[in-house]
């Protein structure tokens, strides 16, 4: 098993940060980002993939100006612009009010009921259940067609 911090210790670590910077080339929902946001830490991240959707205006986004292909996992990622990343960091550190504003937005977004584990697990169960129902219906339909084709032959 992985050895790491106890869950109760994590806020102590996150709260050592003034700002969290991500240079990920693509991520949907980002646990590390969400944990930092829940600790009211201002965030800077690439405007790419799902992160730009759920985090919306709660993160200072940096544009991606090029892309990279991850052949081993068959994905394309966005590479954040270096100059814009430096500008964002500079802004967060030279404009304390901006940093406080993004920290407040981050905390508000992290506390949004849509992102509670209970809500997410309920939605996951609903979607997974529907997928299974749909797959079963397709399998039955396929079997009936095959059965009809055998009778005709």
């Amino acid at each position: 098993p992985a050895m790491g911090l106890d869950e109760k210790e994590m806020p102590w670590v996150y709260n050592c940060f003034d700002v969290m910077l991500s240079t990920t080339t693509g991520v949907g929902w980002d646990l590390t980002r969400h944990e930092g946001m829940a600790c009211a830490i201002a965030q800077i991240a690439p405007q790419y993939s799902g992160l730009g959707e759920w985090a919306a205006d709660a993160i200072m986004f940096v544009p991606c100006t090029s892309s990279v292909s991850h052949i081993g996992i068959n994905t394309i990622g966005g590479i954040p612009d270096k100059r814009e990343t430096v500008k964002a960091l500079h802004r967060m550190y030279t404009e304390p009010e901006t940093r406080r504003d993004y920290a407040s937005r981050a905390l508000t977004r992290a506390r949004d009921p849509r992102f509670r584990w209970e809500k997410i697990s309920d939605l996951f169960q609903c979607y997974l259940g529907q997928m299974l129902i749909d797959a079963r219906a397709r399998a039955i339909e396929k079997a009936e067609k095959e059965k009809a084709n055998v009778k005709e032959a």
Side-chain angles (χ1 to χ4, degrees):
M3 302 299 288
L5 291 175
D6 183 87
E7 200 172 298
K8 294 174 188 147
E9 297 171 311
M10 292 177 70
W12 289 94
V13 172
Y14 279 109
N15 281 297
C16 290
F17 305 147
D18 294 318
V19 174
M20 284 180 64
L21 169 67
S22 172
T23 57
T24 181
T25 59
V27 64
W29 176 75
D30 187 339
L31 176 61
T32 305
R33 203 80 19 242
H34 200 151
E35 290 173 342
M37 292 168 76
C39 292
I41 307 302
Q43 306 287 319
I44 300 171
Q47 178 70 50
Y48 194 82
S49 195
L51 184 59
E53 296 171 11
W54 74 264
D57 65 346
I59 290 180
M60 181 180 283
F61 285 107
V62 174
C64 293
T65 52
S66 58
S67 62
V68 62
S69 296
H70 302 287
I71 296 169
I73 56 174
N74 197 27
T75 62
I76 297 174
I79 299 177
D81 184 271
K82 291 177 189 176
R83 284 193 168 106
E84 293 300 319
T85 301
V86 170
K87 283 182 189 177
L89 276 168
H90 185 262
R91 185 171 173 212
M92 285 287 196
Y93 279 100
T94 59
E95 300 175 16
E97 188 55 42
T98 298
R99 188 172 64 245
R100 284 190 293 274
D101 178 49
Y102 275 98
S104 175
R105 293 185 206 186
L107 181 59
T108 299
R109 182 55 48 95
R111 288 181 172 171
D112 187 319
R114 293 176 297 167
F115 304 120
R116 298 198 52 81
W117 283 118
E118 297 83 8
K119 178 71 173 174
I120 292 169
S121 66
D122 287 348
L123 286 171
F124 184 77
Q125 184 176 0
C126 177
Y127 290 130
L128 184 59
Q130 188 60 53
M131 287 172 50
L132 292 172
I133 290 168
D134 293 347
R136 184 171 188 266
R138 285 192 303 274
I140 290 170
E141 182 180 330
K142 181 180 177 184
E144 288 173 353
K145 284 182 182 178
E146 289 173 358
K147 189 176 179 181
N149 288 340
V150 169
K151 283 184 181 180
E152 290 176 4

